[in-house]
Amino acid sequence: MKRLFASVRARAAVGATLVVALALVVAGTAVLLSLRTSLIDQADAQAASAARDVATQLSTGVAPDRLELPDNDDHPVQVVGEDDRLVAASDDLEEITGTGVPAVTPVPTPRKPTPQPTSTDNSDNSNDGDQTDDAGEKQEAAEAAEEAAEEAADDAADNGDSGDDPLERGEISDDPHTSEGSARVDGETQDYRFAELTVNTESRGELTVHAGATLATEQNAVRTALTAMLIGFPLLLAVIAAVTWLVTRRALRPVDAIRAEMAVITASEDLGRRVPEPDTHDEIARLARTTNETLAALEASVERQRRFVADASHELRSPIASLRTQLEVGAAHPGLLDVPGAVEDTVRLQELAADLLLLARLDAGEKPGRGRVDLAALAREELSQRTGDRVVVTADLDSVEVAGSRGQLARVLGNLVTNAQRHARSGVTVTSRADGVWAVLEVADDGDGVPRQERERIFERFVRLDDARSRDEGGAGLGLAIARDVAARHGGTLTVDDSPGGGAVFVLRLPAATAAS
């Protein structure tokens, strides 16, 4: 399993597929719920319309057994009296649930007996007497009905706070009550949405109409949509996974080419090779360019190290060969041994070894100490130890402190003064001063100066200008290189410029101690 998901392509494809799958599930669920709600609302409207049609017929005085009911399969109907007696129902209705009235067969309502004329003992009275009795009975019945209506009104007033207002004769309730159930019509059972309306009729009082609307359309639509999603979503996810895999594979193809080329470079140790750079402007192209820049820097570093080793070997070979020759001659002819020359060659070897060791420490990233060093005091101490200089050294020193290694800074000053002594005609000047946040140490000579085109090259290792290549002049071309490296490690710079009095002036700039701290 780990090997399966070790590829970036596989992880990207699986991640994209899972995200899209989650989005599709959420969207599909929302669509199905919205579709179902919409279709149920539509069924409620159809059921309410069917119930209102039947209630309208009842309000106009149509008898329950003479109602024109809607289609039995789509809209089953029940009409229920105040005593929950079923007074009308759709034909072929065999079973129903959800309306609260499980009956499907109407129950005949017993007719009230028709009032007959009252007999009297005086059956032979005249027609005027009969009419007088009938009129009296009608008046008594009207008064009784009026009293019953007043009592009903009083009861309604007493109980008005506990229920809805009674409907007027012929009035239909406004808002239908909806419910869900099922019904079997002509042997076929379906789910329905039922609407319930109440109507107040003239002859039968309040009747309740239950009318249904089939949910077959809603169920079929939801089922069809769900089936389409169950078939389409996996296909869509498969396409998304395949496209993500292919696109990621194509996008990572340059990375694989970079990896393969780096493997070849590592195996061959040929730092002159470069990884291919795609013709794009994306992150992979920038990675390739950065990789090539790193290879170029590494190649330059290795080449510099090789040249350094070669130059160091060359510089070491000359004094070692000279010292060996003198020792061999002294061994064969003790009287011809050049002891001063042997000592001079040994001193050159010692200085060269010290320079090489310091460069090695600097290349390894050795950081200087953070002690405070007064450049003026350092210069006085260093100049006081130089008793055998060829020309006179004058000093104009202002006290200014820097943070760093006293030994390394003394080495810089010594190298600069030695270089100036080698090229000066009559004198060397050392000055120190503060320049804002910088501490400046200058070493100037009155020699021929440094050509402008050589002012950077002289700071390279083992570089000596043509007039300083003779062995008698001394030096291996490492002094200025060491001085610049030490200046850089201290956060400063070392440059060369024309001296106001002719010759060259080397300017060392270091952060002053207050700024460095």
Side-chain angles (χ1 to χ4, degrees):
M1 185 63 68
K2 289 184 177 181
R3 295 182 60 86
L4 178 62
F5 292 100
S7 170
V8 175
R9 295 190 296 269
R11 292 198 298 268
V14 171
T17 303
L18 290 178
V19 170
V20 175
L22 180 61
L24 289 178
V25 169
V26 174
T29 303
V31 169
L32 291 178
L33 291 177
S34 177
L35 177 62
R36 185 175 184 275
T37 302
S38 177
L39 293 176
I40 288 178
D41 291 342
Q42 183 177 352
D44 288 343
Q46 293 175 357
S49 177
R52 193 166 297 277
D53 289 343
V54 176
T56 301
Q57 296 181 52
L58 292 172
S59 67
T60 59
V62 178
D65 56 352
R66 296 182 178 276
L67 291 173
E68 294 183 2
L69 300 179
D71 182 70
N72 296 335
D73 294 337
D74 293 337
H75 303 289
V77 175
Q78 284 181 312
V79 179
V80 182
E82 293 180 342
D83 53 355
D84 292 336
R85 185 195 300 265
L86 183 66
V87 297
S90 299
D91 296 338
D92 300 328
L93 180 61
E94 300 173 357
E95 184 180 354
I96 189 169
T97 61
T99 61
V101 181
V104 295
T105 302
V107 178
T109 302
R111 293 181 177 274
K112 295 179 180 180
T114 302
Q116 299 295 331
T118 304
S119 299
T120 61
D121 295 336
N122 299 324
S123 59
D124 294 334
N125 291 341
S126 63
N127 292 335
D128 292 339
D130 293 338
Q131 291 177 355
T132 301
D133 294 338
D134 292 338
E137 292 176 357
K138 290 181 179 181
Q139 183 176 359
E140 291 177 358
E143 291 177 354
E146 185 177 353
E147 291 178 358
E150 290 178 356
E151 292 177 359
D154 293 338
D155 294 339
D158 294 337
N159 300 325
D161 296 336
S162 61
D164 298 333
D165 295 334
L167 298 175
E168 301 289 339
R169 295 295 182 183
E171 184 181 359
I172 304 173
S173 58
D174 295 330
D175 298 326
H177 174 71
T178 58
S179 61
E180 187 169 336
S182 63
R184 186 171 70 245
V185 180
D186 197 14
E188 183 178 355
T189 302
Q190 293 184 5
D191 293 328
Y192 290 88
R193 292 287 294 183
F194 293 101
E196 176 184 324
L197 286 175
T198 303
V199 57
N200 194 334
T201 62
E202 181 72 23
S203 59
R204 295 179 180 267
E206 289 190 357
L207 298 178
T208 302
V209 179
H210 299 278
T214 181
L215 291 176
T217 302
E218 176 265 336
Q219 294 173 348
N220 291 335
V222 172
R223 190 180 300 111
T224 301
L226 181 59
T227 302
M229 290 180 183
L230 293 177
I231 296 175
F233 283 4
L235 296 178
L236 180 59
L237 292 176
V239 171
I240 291 174
V243 171
T244 304
W245 175 279
L246 295 176
V247 170
T248 308
R249 179 183 179 184
R250 181 178 180 84
L252 294 178
R253 188 175 299 166
V255 177
D256 192 58
I258 294 173
R259 183 207 57 79
E261 185 62 26
M262 289 297 294
V264 173
I265 293 173
T266 303
S268 64
E269 299 182 358
D270 182 8
L271 297 177
R273 299 173 66 101
R274 296 294 180 267
V275 299
E277 296 185 13
D279 297 331
T280 57
H281 301 283
D282 54 7
E283 293 81 357
I284 297 178
R286 292 195 291 271
L287 172 64
R289 286 193 291 271
T290 304
T291 303
N292 285 334
E293 292 173 359
T294 303
L295 289 174
L298 183 60
E299 181 185 16
S301 176
V302 171
E303 183 61 28
R304 185 169 58 252
Q305 292 296 329
R306 289 175 179 174
R307 188 169 60 250
F308 174 78
V309 172
D311 292 338
S313 300
H314 177 75
E315 293 294 333
L316 288 172
R317 183 176 59 182
S318 297
I320 290 175
S322 175
L323 182 60
R324 177 181 178 181
T325 301
Q326 295 181 50
L327 293 176
E328 289 176 349
V329 171
H333 306 283
L336 299 178
L337 178 62
D338 184 9
V339 176
V343 172
E344 182 182 352
D345 287 339
T346 303
V347 171
R348 289 186 60 201
L349 282 174
Q350 182 181 5
E351 292 177 350
L352 183 57
D355 289 343
L356 294 177
L357 181 60
L358 179 57
L359 284 174
R361 291 203 307 265
L362 294 176
D363 288 341
E366 178 183 338
K367 294 183 179 181
R370 305 307 298 172
R372 287 177 176 267
V373 180
D374 188 339
L375 291 183
L378 178 67
R380 293 189 187 97
E381 180 182 352
E382 180 67 20
L383 295 177
S384 65
Q385 299 174 3
R386 303 179 66 91
T387 58
D389 285 342
R390 185 177 61 87
V391 297
V392 178
V393 179
T394 59
D396 182 11
L397 304 173
D398 293 335
S399 179
V400 56
E401 291 186 343
V402 297
S405 170
R406 185 180 184 84
Q408 292 184 5
L409 293 177
R411 186 65 174 274
V412 171
L413 178 59
N415 289 352
L416 294 179
V417 173
T418 300
N419 181 76
Q421 286 280 343
R422 187 177 296 121
H423 297 283
R425 290 191 178 93
S426 59
V428 175
T429 303
V430 178
T431 61
S432 64
R433 56 186 171 83
D435 184 11
V437 297
W438 296 99
V440 181
L441 179 67
E442 297 180 351
V443 178
D445 63 72
D446 57 355
D448 295 331
V450 181
R452 188 173 298 275
Q453 66 274 14
E454 302 287 351
R455 290 182 179 176
E456 284 298 321
R457 196 171 74 88
I458 61 174
F459 292 105
E460 297 178 5
R461 298 174 182 181
F462 298 105
V463 172
R464 290 174 293 180
L465 300 185
D466 293 338
D467 60 352
R469 288 186 178 274
S470 66
R471 185 171 177 271
D472 294 337
E473 294 292 335
L478 293 177
L480 295 180
I482 291 175
R484 172 166 276 192
D485 283 352
V486 171
R489 291 295 189 277
H490 284 74
T493 61
L494 177 61
T495 58
V496 61
D497 204 346
D498 293 328
S499 176
V505 55
F506 286 82
V507 181
L508 174 65
R509 288 180 174 272
L510 298 174
T514 54
S517 60

